Amino acid sequence: MADDLSAVAHFLYETGTLKQARRTGWWMAGVRDPESVADHSWRTSLIASVIAKLEGTDPARAAFLAVWHDSQESRTGDVNHLGKKYSSGADPREVTADQTAGMPEVLAETVRELVGEYEAKETAEAICARDADKLECMLQGIEYRAQGYENAQRWIDNSRGRLVTETACRLADELLSQGPLDWLRKALGEAKG
């Protein structure tokens, strides 16, 4: 390969920091060791593919958008909603352009387009990916509430209220009707359904 991959290698190390970067909003709910940005992005991508498929759009594209939706946080950190009130906030598109500088253009352009599409909120896949982001937060809140973090209810309610697609709304209602370990009980034959 003729292209210099040193910038790509730097980026891969950089994004690895997202495995240690904690989602800071949960600290306000009393969660001492919240999930990482990488944890959140992984499940968001799975949810995006589910929502998109059931909405009749491209599940691979929606998941691809979701994979990249928080990649800028390796530079900006996870700024929660309260923090955003006091900071001007970096434009994810600008951060991405800086992150991809020096990469082979075919790769840099693809990443910039993905982040731009997600931020523009116009395509069906971007809408599904954005709903997946909110639904994952709601799901995480349900799991934290089950662990005794009652203050997570605020995140559950806010996330549910911001969903757009019919599938995400229906899935949210189903998640709210179940407990986090109902799947295990069913798999073990302990519960009907």
Side-chain angles (χ1 to χ4, degrees):
M1 177 177 256
D3 292 321
D4 178 10
L5 296 181
S6 64
V8 176
H10 287 172
F11 182 73
L12 295 176
Y13 279 119
E14 176 182 337
T15 57
T17 65
L18 295 174
K19 295 193 297 183
Q20 286 79 43
R22 299 291 164 207
R23 303 233 321 139
T24 62
W26 293 117
W27 288 331
M28 291 178 214
V31 179
R32 290 183 183 195
D33 188 25
E35 89 275 23
S36 73
V37 172
D39 294 332
H40 165 71
S41 293
W42 175 78
R43 188 158 64 173
T44 298
S45 298
L46 289 177
I47 295 169
S49 68
V50 168
I51 293 171
K53 185 64 177 179
L54 295 174
E55 286 288 314
T57 192
D58 185 350
R61 182 72 179 180
F64 201 19
L65 292 166
V67 164
W68 293 92
H69 87 282
D70 280 340
S71 59
Q72 310 79 25
E73 292 184 8
S74 63
R75 296 206 175 177
T76 64
D78 176 57
V79 181
N80 61 56
H81 288 288
L82 179 62
K84 288 178 184 177
K85 178 180 174 181
Y86 299 101
S87 66
S88 59
D91 183 329
R93 291 166 284 224
E94 292 175 13
V95 176
T96 299
D98 198 34
Q99 286 177 307
T100 59
M103 287 186 185
E105 188 54 30
V106 67
L107 176 59
E109 182 179 343
T110 297
V111 175
R112 290 190 305 261
E113 286 175 1
L114 286 165
V115 172
E117 181 179 343
Y118 181 86
E119 293 300 323
K121 310 172 195 169
E122 294 173 352
T123 66
E125 292 82 4
I127 292 166
C128 290
R130 296 183 76 83
D131 261 8
D133 182 37
K134 295 170 189 74
L135 192 60
E136 199 289 325
C137 185
M138 188 194 91
L139 183 54
Q140 187 64 63
I142 293 168
E143 292 167 341
Y144 284 146
R145 184 183 63 193
Q147 294 171 22
Y149 296 105
E150 293 301 320
N151 290 331
Q153 188 64 49
R154 176 183 179 85
W155 281 258
I156 296 167
D157 297 340
N158 287 342
S159 296
R160 174 62 183 91
R162 294 170 60 208
L163 296 172
V164 175
T165 63
E166 179 185 349
T167 299
C169 291
R170 288 179 56 218
L171 188 52
D173 292 342
E174 186 61 37
L175 289 165
L176 287 165
S177 76
Q178 296 183 18
L181 291 180
D182 286 355
W183 69 270
L184 180 60
R185 289 180 192 95
K186 181 173 178 16
L188 294 173
E190 297 172 0
K192 295 179 184 177

